[in-house]
Amino acid sequence: MDVLTWDGHNVNDTTNYISFLHHQAFGLPRVNAQSLARSGRWPIISGVERPGRVIFLEIIIRNLAQLAAKQAELQQWFDPEDETPKKLIVEDLGGGTGGGNDRYVYAICEELAAMPNDENNYTFVAQLRIHGDPLWRTAVEDDAWSITATAQTHNITNGGKADAYPFFYIRPTQSKTGGFAFKKFIPVRWPNNTGYVRYPTDI
C-alpha cells in the first residue's frame, strides 16, 4: 500500500516527505481469548477481548534545505496531545495500472519519535493507535438518501469482504409547521421582585 495523506496533509509527496507503513499494518488485529474453566475438562472459550491496534508510519524528510521547518510541521501534524482521531488514507494496488483503491482508518498519534542513530533527525516514526474499527475501509464512504415519505427503503451494497457497519447522519431539509407532539411546562422561579423581558435564563 502507498501512503497518501494524514489528516489531509500529503506525507508522501516525494519532494518534502516519503512515508511508508511497517508491514504489520496489513494483517488482522490481535484479540485475547477468554477461557472458562471446567471441572475435570478442558476450558472453553467464553469470548474475546479486543485490546486495540497500533501501527507504525515511517516518515523521511526529503527537503533537507528546510529541515527545521519540516520537523516543526511534522510535530504539528502528529501532535500526541491532540486527542482528535485523524484519517490516514492509503492506496492499494487493486485499481490496476494508473491508480489504486483508496482505503482509510482513523487513529491518534501516541508518539512521534526520531529514528535511533539519526543524528540529523530527518527520519521519524509515528506510533498510531487506531480509533474504532481497525480494518482498512474504502474511502468512498458517503451515500446520500433523500427521504420523502414514510416506509421508504434504501439499499447499500457492501463492496468489500468483511462486515460493514454504517454511520447515519440525518439532516432535516425543512422545519415543521405543526404537530409538535412533545412539550412540557417548566416553571422557573424568578428570585428578583423586578420583572425582565428577554433576559437569558439558564435552565
Side-chain angles (χ1 to χ4, degrees):
M1 288 188 179
D2 294 328
V3 177
L4 296 181
T5 61
W6 164 259
D7 193 30
H9 305 293
N10 191 340
V11 292
N12 198 23
D13 60 4
T14 71
T15 300
N16 296 297
Y17 305 103
I18 291 178
S19 298
F20 58 89
L21 287 166
H22 290 186
H23 69 278
Q24 74 272 16
F26 308 116
L28 293 176
R30 172 190 172 88
V31 299
N32 297 328
Q34 302 299 303
S35 297
L36 180 63
R38 299 187 295 174
S39 177
R41 304 182 68 183
W42 292 103
I44 59 175
I45 303 301
S46 60
V48 297
E49 283 186 349
R50 295 166 177 83
R53 189 177 191 191
V54 174
I55 60 177
F56 296 90
L57 176 66
E58 189 164 328
I59 310 157
I60 303 172
I61 298 176
R62 289 291 304 276
N63 189 351
L64 299 182
Q66 300 183 29
L67 178 59
K70 296 307 172 185
Q71 289 171 339
E73 195 169 59
L74 288 179
Q75 291 172 358
Q76 180 182 4
W77 295 349
F78 294 91
D79 182 3
E81 293 192 88
D82 186 349
E83 300 177 10
T84 306
K86 305 290 192 301
K87 182 185 283 189
L88 173 66
I89 300 180
V90 301
E91 182 182 69
D92 66 20
L93 302 179
T97 304
N101 299 313
D102 290 355
R103 302 281 185 250
Y104 77 94
V105 291
Y106 281 98
I108 65 168
C109 179
E110 291 186 321
E111 181 182 10
L112 180 66
M115 286 289 283
N117 303 320
D118 179 5
E119 296 180 358
N120 296 317
N121 291 334
Y122 63 83
T123 303
F124 293 84
V125 175
Q127 179 175 307
L128 307 177
R129 180 168 293 275
I130 293 181
H131 171 74
D133 191 346
L135 299 180
W136 295 96
R137 290 159 277 180
T138 176
V140 182
E141 59 185 90
D142 295 331
D143 187 273
W145 173 25
S146 180
I147 304 173
T148 58
T150 303
Q152 287 183 335
T153 61
H154 182 68
N155 295 327
I156 300 176
T157 301
N158 181 358
K161 303 294 184 183
D163 293 342
Y165 305 98
F167 296 90
F168 295 98
Y169 301 93
I170 300 174
R171 181 170 62 87
T173 56
Q174 65 183 72
S175 301
K176 291 186 65 174
T177 57
F180 298 101
F182 302 100
K183 52 187 176 180
K184 181 179 181 180
F185 174 72
I186 302 176
V188 179
R189 180 181 177 274
W190 187 250
N192 197 322
N193 294 327
T194 304
Y196 287 90
V197 177
R198 296 181 178 177
Y199 188 88
T201 304
D202 185 17
I203 299 180

